């Protein structure tokens, strides 16, 4: 069967769902195709810190109500080094704050809004293929419930994540990919325990990085730097809590409330950018276009700003101004590269890199000591953490 839409959106992660919602609000019809089930998409645990720019976008999409009710605005973060905690006063330094609200909840709110508006979404779409995006007649083919389907559209939005089909469909000679892989991963644990501190604590410790984060006043998310060949099965809950306590100052460790894990997983750390982001009528956005290591919590926020630029460009197009589409790639990449720089620098600052030797360790120490002694340096970090403006 063949059906028509204006924008075919591949992927029902936060990028695809947010774009779909925003486009629909401007009267642009779209179909979302997702290879997994809705339950699977909601089962993925990701970061939970939203910049004001992302909050604004969720408001524009009409899905911010629960976030404002249940999310936790944070005015600061802490960095811990040499067993000493230092607060970065995000609000005092920048006048802005961040919103702690899990990506799972953002996705759930977007799914609910899409269902309520009866916008078409196909979950468990198999063998999704895109075709003709270098012509005036792009098409998307897929299978669903044993039937072959085709969507004819004006544009394809590649919101299908790092392993998706859209970026992989671009001829190798038309795309440049920049990548850095870090020699460690993050072991994460989610538990229904109160957070050890009202604000997030990023820890640089001899034994490796740790992060104390949270989802609510009763749900915590903690991370430990681990080796790339480590396995979740090697970590009992007790081993995780014990290692976390060792990486925290004694007084903080004494306050840590532990409990059974709801989820444990290991994620590798990667920086990645594809350029450009437009190939005829195909546009890449979110993790399909770039990956950041999680240290600055920029993944979801960058996805939201990409989608914001793409939404504006497509809206302009349907209102008779094609220039926005020409500028999408350049506008989005300018913000992406700055967030890549920040995520990379936070990663380099807070993790252990034994392969960088004693000189590398001393450079890290000097940079942290400078940071804590300089209002200018703290302001620069805070300005990036709360998110750069969307130009
Ligand atoms: N066909 C259809 N859907 C696909 C395909 C395919 N061939 N390949 C992947 N997908 C789906 C995935 O199953 C996933 O649900 O695309 C979706 C992409 O979602 P995400 O990976 O969450 O990417 P994105 O929406 O860009 O969100 C970016 O997610 O990973 C975090 O740090 C990242 O917070 C950031 C955010
Ligand atoms: C999280 O809560 O999962 C989280 C928070 C901040 C980060 C990364 C992850 O920098």
């Amino acid at each position: 069967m063949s059906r028509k839409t204006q924008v075919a959106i591949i992927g029902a992660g936060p990028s695809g769902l947010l774009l779909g919602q925003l486009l629909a609000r401007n009267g642009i019809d779209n179909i979302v195709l997702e290879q997994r089930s809705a339950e699977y998409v909601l089962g993925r645990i990701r970061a939970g810190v939203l910049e004001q720019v992302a909050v604004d976008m969720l408001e524009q999409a009409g899905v911010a109500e629960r976030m404002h009710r249940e999310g936790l605005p944070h005015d600061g973060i802490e960095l811990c080094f040499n067993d000493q905690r230092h607060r970065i006063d995000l609000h005092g330094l920048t006048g802005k704050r961040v919103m702690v609200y899990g990506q799972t909840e953002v996705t759930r709110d977007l799914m609910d809004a899409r269902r309520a508006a009866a916008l078409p979404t196909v979950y468990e779409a198999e063998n999704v293929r895109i075709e003709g995006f270098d012509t005036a007649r792009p098409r998307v083919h897929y299978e669903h419930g044993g039937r072959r389907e085709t969507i004819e559209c004006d544009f394809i939005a590649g919101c299908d994540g790092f392993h998706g089909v859209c970026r992989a469909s671009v001829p190798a000679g038309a795309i440049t990919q920049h990548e850095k892989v870090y020699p460690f991963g993050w072991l994460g644990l989610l538990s229904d325990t109160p957070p050890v501190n009202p604000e997030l604590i990023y820890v640089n410790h001899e034994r490796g990085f740790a992060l104390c984060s949270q989802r609510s006043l009763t749900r915590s998310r903690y991370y430990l730097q681990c080796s790339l060949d480590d396995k979740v099965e090697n970590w009992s809950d007790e081993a995780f809590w014990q290692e976390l306590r060792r990486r925290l100052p004694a007084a903080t460790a004494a306050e840590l409330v532990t409990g059974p894990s709801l989820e444990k997983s290991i994620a590798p750390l990667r920086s990645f950018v594809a350029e450009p982001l437009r190939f005829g009528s195909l546009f890449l956005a979110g993790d399909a276009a770039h990956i950041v290591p999680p240290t600055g919590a920029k993944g979801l926020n960058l996805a939201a700003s990409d989608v914001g630029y793409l939404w504006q460009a497509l809206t302009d197009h349907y209102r008779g101004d094609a220039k926005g589409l020409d500028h999408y790639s350049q506008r989005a990449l300018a913000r992406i590269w700055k967030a890549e720089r920040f995520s990379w620098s936070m990663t380099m600052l807070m993790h252990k890199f034994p392969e960088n030797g004693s000189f590398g360790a001393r450079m890290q120490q000097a940079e942290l000591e400078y940071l804590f002694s300089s209002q200018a340096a703290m302001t620069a970090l805070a300005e990036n953490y709360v998110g750069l403006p969307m130009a």
Side-chain angles (χ1 to χ4, degrees):
M1 209 181 83
S2 179
R3 55 209 278 211
K4 285 200 166 81
T5 191
Q6 289 175 302
V7 183
I9 300 175
I10 317 299
S15 302
L17 291 175
L18 180 59
L19 180 64
Q21 212 57 30
L22 290 165
L23 289 174
R25 289 219 136 194
N26 284 357
I28 301 168
D29 51 87
N30 58 84
I31 299 177
V32 173
L33 286 187
E34 164 62 51
Q35 69 177 1
R36 305 283 190 172
S37 67
E39 297 70 49
Y40 181 96
V41 171
L42 283 177
R44 291 189 295 232
I45 309 286
R46 263 98 177 249
V49 179
L50 300 176
E51 299 170 354
Q52 187 61 47
V53 160
V55 168
D56 292 346
M57 211 71 72
L58 294 171
E59 280 171 5
Q60 304 237 44
V63 293
E65 196 209 319
R66 191 164 70 100
M67 174 193 66
H68 281 303
R69 211 169 349 109
E70 296 178 13
L72 302 170
H74 279 204
D75 285 349
I77 56 169
E78 292 191 22
L79 302 189
C80 181
F81 177 60
N82 272 347
D83 279 339
Q84 296 207 329
R85 288 164 50 179
H86 304 262
R87 182 165 189 266
I88 309 282
D89 181 0
L90 299 175
H91 190 252
L93 292 164
T94 67
K96 296 185 187 156
R97 39 178 66 95
V98 292
M99 176 72 90
V100 170
Y101 188 64
Q103 178 170 325
T104 310
E105 305 314 316
V106 172
T107 310
R108 195 189 307 279
D109 294 343
L110 285 162
M111 277 181 178
D112 290 350
R114 195 165 176 89
R115 201 177 311 111
L119 300 172
T121 315
V122 181
Y123 284 97
E124 299 179 343
E126 292 173 69
N127 298 321
V128 175
R129 282 189 304 115
I130 62 172
E131 191 182 87
F133 53 84
D134 51 347
T135 73
R137 290 190 57 231
R139 285 169 305 284
V140 183
H141 305 285
Y142 65 101
E143 288 157 36
H144 188 245
R147 292 166 54 151
R148 290 196 183 175
E149 312 275 356
T150 297
I151 299 175
E152 294 174 25
C153 53
D154 300 333
F155 299 105
I156 300 171
C159 299
D160 50 349
F162 185 63
H163 300 287
V165 69
C166 291
R167 195 183 68 250
S169 303
V170 174
I175 190 166
T176 306
Q177 316 201 50
H178 310 271
E179 183 171 49
K180 177 177 172 65
V181 175
Y182 300 86
F184 43 74
W186 277 19
L187 168 66
L189 180 147
L190 186 71
S191 62
D192 273 335
T193 53
V196 69
N197 188 53
E199 296 178 341
L200 273 62
I201 313 177
Y202 291 83
V203 186
N204 177 320
H205 189 271
E206 271 309 304
R207 299 178 62 84
F209 169 83
L211 170 60
C212 305
S213 182
Q214 55 189 266
R215 292 288 175 272
S216 70
L217 298 177
T218 54
R219 182 168 286 188
S220 297
R221 180 72 167 160
Y222 294 103
Y223 296 96
L224 295 172
Q225 177 180 354
C226 66
S227 99
L228 269 179
D229 49 27
D230 218 332
K231 298 270 175 293
V232 175
E233 304 80 73
N234 298 339
W235 288 87
S236 66
D237 290 358
E238 195 36 54
F240 184 98
W241 293 121
Q242 197 179 343
E243 183 60 30
L244 178 60
R245 269 190 225 104
R246 294 178 77 166
R247 297 186 191 187
L248 297 175
T252 312
E255 305 230 311
L256 182 71
V257 179
T258 64
S261 63
L262 303 170
E263 191 260 9
K264 274 197 297 248
S265 52
I266 293 182
L269 272 71
R270 184 195 307 270
S271 295
F272 173 88
V273 182
E275 294 182 308
L277 302 181
R278 178 186 185 179
F279 309 89
S281 48
L282 167 67
F283 296 86
L284 302 180
D287 276 15
H290 45 73
I291 296 290
V292 284
T295 325
K298 290 287 170 242
L300 177 57
N301 293 300
L302 267 190
S305 56
D306 290 357
V307 163
Y309 293 126
L310 186 53
W311 170 53
Q312 284 171 11
L314 288 166
T315 300
D316 288 350
H317 168 85
Y318 284 109
R319 291 179 182 166
D321 175 6
K323 281 200 296 296
L325 290 178
D326 294 337
H327 297 152
Y328 165 69
S329 187
Q330 202 191 338
R331 284 182 84 195
L333 281 164
R335 191 167 196 273
I336 290 163
W337 276 115
K338 291 188 195 117
E340 288 283 344
R341 186 206 67 81
F342 176 65
S343 306
W344 162 83
S345 74
M346 279 283 279
T347 303
M348 299 306 286
L349 185 65
M350 297 309 292
H351 291 77
K352 279 297 140 202
F353 290 87
E355 60 283 13
N356 289 354
S358 66
F359 187 80
R362 288 305 195 120
M363 285 297 98
Q364 210 182 48
Q365 179 181 345
E367 192 168 346
L368 282 159
E369 284 171 1
Y370 166 64
L371 173 68
F372 301 136
S373 71
S374 160
Q375 177 98 347
M378 280 192 282
T379 305
L381 188 146
E383 178 181 46
N384 281 277
Y385 195 89
V386 300
L388 298 177
M390 267 180 85

